[in-house]
Amino acid sequence: MVKVEIDEGSGFCFGVVTAIHKAEEELTKGVTLYCLGDIVHNSREVERLKEMGLITINHEEFKQLHNAKVLLRAHGEPPETYIIAKENNIEIIDATCPVVLRLQKRIKQEYMQEDSDEKQIVIYGKNGHAEVLGLVGQTTGKAIVIEKLDEARQLDFSKSIRLYSQTTKSLDEFWEIVEYIKEHISPDATFEYYDTICRQVANRMPNLRKFAASHDLIFFVSGKKSSNGKMLFEECKKVNPNSHLIDSAEEIDDSLLPGVNSIGVCGATSTPKWLMEEISEAIKAQIKRQ
């Protein structure tokens, strides 16, 4: 009998859970609710909430909106979004994750200090990611975003550096960047770094590695847009090369199933539990048919 197990530690982080609860709460009142950007980087969950009445809009559409109610998702927004909302009489339902909110405030305080022109505020994160745009917005666009260690080499080491991180990035790579800057910073400059990675996300890595290593075959469930999903999937592949990224039951490859004794189903912080359960049931049904 083939064992099919869902990773108990996978699924929405608390920030996403809160945002979805807020959306559902408003939608059950029967009001028109807009969401600025996909509420979560998972197309199936976005579709579910769309069916409940949630209308997803982009920033251009948001600028044209007046006298409406708009949900801000867990990723957070730059100050400009709040200014537009005030000017256009938009009621904000703010679901920004508290971890992201604290990070925004820290970066803004750093930027508002008198010596801000003499130092580089650096954010280790994904360029263009919603959270990172919100963080860079705290510095009126002046923060430098680096995605990997290679890009840290382009920094000006004669100037002081203040390093922060997007909340869902890899801890290991963050510390590699810290060590590299420490080694190269000028003696006349100062370097301060802040580990601002969410522990709920970071702590998933060792658990996920253990889970992936304990099965013959892994189906990692994640939306294709999720940067957290890409990172966690890579962690699975490191310990179990027989790991496969899917975002729906339709993507299960039947040819992978024969000959395996145990199959693990896990996912990103943006993957709903109901979707992992749906995929687990689909795997079991396909095994029975074989």
Side-chain angles (χ1 to χ4, degrees):
M1 184 69 184
V2 180
K3 178 188 174 188
V4 181
E5 184 186 7
I6 297 173
D7 174 33
E8 282 304 310
S10 289
F12 289 153
C13 62
F14 74 90
V16 172
V17 169
T18 303
I20 286 168
H21 280 170
K22 284 189 176 185
E24 289 172 333
E25 203 177 290
E26 290 298 322
L27 291 166
T28 53
K29 294 175 189 172
V31 297
T32 300
L33 182 66
Y34 297 89
C35 181
L36 187 49
D38 288 343
I39 191 166
V40 63
H41 289 149
N42 185 282
S43 58
R44 295 290 304 278
E45 182 65 8
V46 169
E47 195 55 42
R48 184 185 75 84
L49 289 164
K50 183 183 176 183
E51 284 170 14
M52 285 183 70
L54 188 65
I55 303 162
T56 303
I57 56 170
N58 60 33
H59 283 82
E60 281 309 306
E61 290 165 326
F62 176 72
K63 286 174 188 173
Q64 307 305 317
L65 210 58
H66 290 79
N67 312 312
K69 194 178 272 196
V70 177
L71 180 96
L72 301 186
R73 56 202 176 156
H75 302 91
E77 283 291 322
E80 181 197 10
T81 299
Y82 295 88
I83 294 165
I84 293 166
K86 198 172 180 182
E87 287 170 354
N88 292 5
N89 194 33
I90 292 170
E91 184 187 338
I92 292 291
I93 308 294
D94 202 337
T96 304
C97 171
V99 178
V100 174
L101 213 48
R102 278 198 299 275
L103 176 53
Q104 286 185 349
K105 284 176 183 170
R106 287 175 76 170
I107 289 174
K108 188 170 186 175
Q109 283 168 355
E110 186 78 66
Y111 178 66
M112 297 302 284
Q113 287 176 11
E114 287 178 12
D115 64 344
S116 66
D117 289 340
E118 296 153 31
K119 66 193 171 194
Q120 300 162 92
I121 295 176
V122 180
I123 298 163
Y124 163 50
K126 184 183 176 188
N127 243 311
H129 186 279
E131 182 191 325
V132 173
L133 293 173
L135 299 177
V136 173
Q138 307 305 316
T139 67
T140 62
K142 292 189 178 144
I144 300 161
V145 180
I146 58 170
E147 294 198 22
K148 47 188 181 290
L149 179 61
D150 277 354
E151 292 174 19
R153 297 187 173 104
Q154 311 304 316
L155 296 170
D156 182 351
F157 294 105
S158 67
K159 285 180 77 175
S160 293
I161 295 170
R162 302 292 178 264
L163 176 67
Y164 297 86
S165 175
Q166 179 184 339
T167 59
T168 53
K169 290 299 279 181
S170 159
L171 257 176
D172 293 344
E173 195 163 20
F174 175 77
W175 290 116
E176 282 175 18
I177 290 166
V178 167
E179 289 309 312
Y180 183 85
I181 295 172
K182 275 183 183 175
E183 287 166 17
H184 294 83
I185 193 88
S186 161
D188 301 322
T190 60
F191 172 43
E192 291 173 20
Y193 53 91
Y194 306 94
D195 169 7
T196 50
I197 292 165
C198 174
R199 282 305 176 267
Q200 199 190 6
V201 175
N203 292 341
R204 286 191 181 190
M205 283 204 197
N207 297 331
L208 196 64
R209 287 186 197 117
K210 195 175 172 185
F211 179 81
S214 68
H215 294 283
D216 300 331
L217 169 63
I218 289 291
F219 285 110
F220 187 89
V221 187
S222 173
K224 302 295 191 284
K225 290 183 189 175
S226 171
S227 56
N228 167 257
K230 284 171 192 163
M231 180 187 68
L232 291 176
F233 174 59
E234 288 307 316
E235 291 301 317
C236 283
K237 279 188 85 173
K238 280 177 194 172
V239 296
N240 187 339
N242 198 16
S243 295
H244 304 270
L245 178 68
I246 62 171
D247 72 355
S248 68
E250 288 73 39
E251 291 187 5
I252 298 165
D253 183 350
D254 292 6
S255 67
L256 298 168
L257 303 178
V260 297
N261 295 313
S262 69
I263 299 168
V265 178
C266 49
T269 55
S270 53
T271 305
K273 268 282 196 304
W274 64 261
L275 182 55
M276 286 186 281
E277 285 163 5
E278 190 179 279
I279 284 165
S280 171
E281 290 307 312
I283 293 166
K284 287 173 187 172
Q286 288 186 19
I287 290 167
K288 274 183 187 173
R289 286 196 293 270
Q290 285 181 352

